[in-house]
Amino acid sequence: MSSHGTPIPMTSRKAAPLKGVAEVPGDKSISHRSLILGAMAVGETKITGLLEGEDVLDTAKAMRALGAEVVQHGPGDWSVHGVGVGGFAEPEDVIDCGNSGTGVRLIMGAVATHPFAVTFTGDASLRSRPMGRVTEPLSLFGTVSYGRTGGRLPLTMVGAESPVPVSYATPVPSAQVKSAVLLAGLNAPGITVVTEKEATRDHTERMLAGFGAEVTVEDTEEGRVISLKGQPELTPQVVAVPRDPSSAAFPVCAALIVPGSDVLVPGIGLNPTRAGLFTTLREMGADLTYENEREEGGEPVADLRAKFSPDMKGIEVPAERAASMIDEYPVLSVVAAFAEGTTMCPGVKELRVKESDRIDAMAVGLRACGVEIDEGEDWFAIKGLGAEGVPGGARAEARLDHRIAMSFLICGMAAKEPVSVDDAGPIATSFPIFMELMGGLGAQLDRVNA
Ligand code: S3P
């Protein structure tokens, strides 16, 4: 179900070899940030390759509600006429971020140092997620927030009239928290500093520098220290959004487990803060190669070639790699089910507070598919059944979570019996062309009756 629609149950059955080129859409994290930073620059930012998933479209709407002019010129081709740092106007209505934790948390940061109130809401998944991790550091700028129990949405934030700069060490590894603080720091005088123990995706820092802000990043004993000089004039940019490694993960993993497959996934951003899954798959013995490695817009990019890999072995994924593949654990757990031996995933507590509790959602669905999985608060372990060994034959709950829905559909492509999901609608939040793209490679995906 999309945030507004009715459930879309889908079934995935054993696919013939997957073959061809999978052109996945633009990066979700970079798409949100292009719109928000474009809205805070003075003048017109041009964006190509923008992800037109529901999450990003909700952020575009929010930027319009705050006074920026956001225009679509063609598929993926957008412009944002920004209002400048400190130039947002009080929105007339509630800001509805749909399913998007990134959207709501980054926008909270961006408005936090403006002297007006904004009320935020979202779908049932987003309304259940913790916002205290963002409202707490934003209160240091002088912001006051009134949410439901546990700081949940709907939540009204009253922005700081006279913001002060902030120094904050993030207690959880979260790029959203880091980014919220940095975006709030844009409209505070002086230097705002964020320290993170483990490196999380660094698109905000890179893009702030690209838009002309003074940002420095230092590796210290306490972790990565990011310092931002407040109240810059951001200069509009031409942003070419790279293709999303988190979306590439699905055709790549499908090709590794479907016998006879050979799929090329071109132009994928391999920023080290995002590429942990591909390293892990290669350590498991996946036939996954990087072709035509190059640099685009300051980011490492390559074409990924993934071939059926019947001899993958379970491994222990290093806990310190978790942040660089946090969104990929659901689909990794599917690949692990088709490998030999156990795959152990420690240090993944954050999975419990994503669009769903992803450890529980995968554990329940994979068990129904005949896979053994153990879990604790911050780890899970999957006992692989080998390339031809996963029974399938179950219906999994997507829990309003796009990555859970896609992961089980990938599972069905190689399991002995079909695998269904109760609702594939949420896939539209991040990968609206998933069905056509996977179908084009040879996947057998069908809509079924509820
Ligand atoms: C994102 C950060 C991550 C990730 C999300 C996108 C971002 O969330 O899971 O899909 O664009 O900043 P956390 O900050 O909660 O780790």
Side-chain angles (χ1 to χ4, degrees):
M1 175 168 74
S2 72
S3 24
H4 318 289
T6 44
I8 304 172
M10 298 284 303
T11 290
S12 170
R13 54 191 85 248
K14 227 175 182 4
L18 302 174
K19 300 268 183 188
V21 179
E23 297 202 323
V24 304
D27 190 282
K28 182 152 72 74
S29 295
I30 296 177
S31 293
H32 281 295
R33 287 160 173 81
S34 316
L35 291 169
I36 296 170
L37 290 176
M40 298 179 90
V42 179
E44 193 179 68
T45 286
K46 291 182 189 299
I47 310 169
T48 54
L50 188 85
L51 166 65
E52 288 165 349
E54 288 170 1
D55 279 10
V56 175
L57 297 178
D58 283 329
T59 289
K61 263 191 233 150
M63 291 304 106
R64 284 192 192 111
L66 290 164
E69 201 183 302
V70 184
V71 181
Q72 185 195 22
H73 302 280
D77 182 7
W78 290 64
S79 64
V80 184
H81 205 101
V83 294
V85 167
F88 282 143
E90 182 180 83
E92 284 181 16
D93 205 346
V94 171
I95 302 262
D96 186 344
C97 290
N99 191 251
S100 182
T102 306
V104 77
R105 292 184 176 129
L106 266 55
I107 298 167
M108 280 182 183
V111 301
T113 43
H114 288 71
F116 49 73
V118 184
T119 301
F120 294 95
T121 193
D123 72 2
S125 156
L126 193 57
R127 290 196 309 272
S128 74
R129 298 180 66 184
M131 294 298 145
R133 55 177 52 201
V134 175
T135 53
E136 189 221 302
L138 295 181
S139 73
L140 305 174
F141 288 95
T143 304
V144 183
S145 299
Y146 306 91
R148 289 193 305 137
T149 318
R152 289 174 164 75
L153 303 180
L155 176 151
T156 296
M157 175 174 286
V158 183
E161 291 227 6
S162 312
V164 290
V166 157
S167 215
Y168 188 70
T170 54
V172 285
S174 166
Q176 294 172 359
V177 174
K178 167 177 67 178
S179 303
V181 175
L182 291 172
L183 291 172
L186 274 177
N187 196 35
I191 311 276
T192 286
V193 181
V194 185
T195 304
E196 55 179 5
K197 277 197 217 82
E198 300 160 47
T200 62
R201 65 192 69 195
D202 61 357
H203 307 302
T204 302
E205 309 74 301
R206 284 179 187 245
M207 292 179 73
L208 276 168
F211 275 79
E214 267 182 54
V215 191
T216 59
V217 180
E218 253 182 295
D219 284 315
T220 70
E221 274 184 8
E222 280 72 51
R224 275 180 89 239
V225 180
I226 303 121
S227 307
L228 167 73
K229 187 161 176 209
Q231 300 182 325
E233 179 166 311
L234 297 182
T235 41
Q237 296 299 303
V238 176
V239 182
V241 180
R243 296 182 197 274
D244 199 325
S246 298
S247 296
F250 295 101
V252 163
C253 289
L256 299 180
I257 61 171
V258 174
S261 298
D262 181 353
V263 171
L264 183 72
V265 193
I268 300 306
L270 290 178
N271 177 318
T273 62
R274 296 289 300 281
L277 172 74
F278 305 126
T279 307
T280 300
L281 293 172
R282 280 151 64 123
E283 284 176 5
M284 292 171 78
D287 187 348
L288 171 63
T289 47
Y290 298 167
E291 298 180 357
N292 193 14
E293 287 182 61
R294 57 204 186 267
E295 217 173 80
E296 281 176 15
E299 298 266 355
V301 167
D303 305 335
L304 308 184
R305 184 173 288 282
K307 294 186 187 166
F308 176 52
S309 304
D311 300 320
M312 287 186 288
K313 304 268 180 295
I315 61 165
E316 173 154 348
V317 182
E320 58 277 14
R321 192 180 293 159
S324 69
M325 53 180 286
I326 196 67
D327 290 337
E328 283 65 75
Y329 281 96
V331 75
L332 172 69
S333 64
V334 171
V335 173
F338 289 87
E340 299 282 351
T342 299
T343 297
M344 173 71 192
C345 301
V348 293
K349 194 159 154 214
E350 279 293 297
L351 293 179
R352 301 246 179 230
V353 290
K354 295 293 178 188
E355 285 82 332
S356 67
D357 174 341
R358 286 181 170 162
I359 297 179
D360 189 62
M362 289 311 298
V364 171
L366 280 175
R367 278 182 200 129
C369 290
V371 180
E372 228 180 279
I373 165 163
D374 281 336
E375 58 176 300
E377 189 46 30
D378 71 343
W379 63 273
F380 67 93
I382 294 189
K383 219 169 176 184
L385 294 168
E388 311 274 352
V390 175
R395 180 175 211 180
E397 278 181 27
R399 304 190 187 182
L400 282 182
D401 188 329
H402 52 135
R403 299 198 203 282
I404 299 300
M406 288 188 277
S407 297
F408 281 110
L409 293 176
I410 298 294
C411 186
M413 292 173 199
K416 291 181 194 160
E417 298 296 328
V419 175
S420 307
V421 289
D422 62 339
D423 185 11
I427 295 172
T429 60
S430 71
F431 200 160
I433 59 165
F434 176 80
M435 302 297 170
E436 298 93 290
L437 184 142
M438 293 308 305
L441 298 175
Q444 303 282 316
L445 298 168
D446 296 297
R447 188 161 175 170
V448 286
N449 293 328

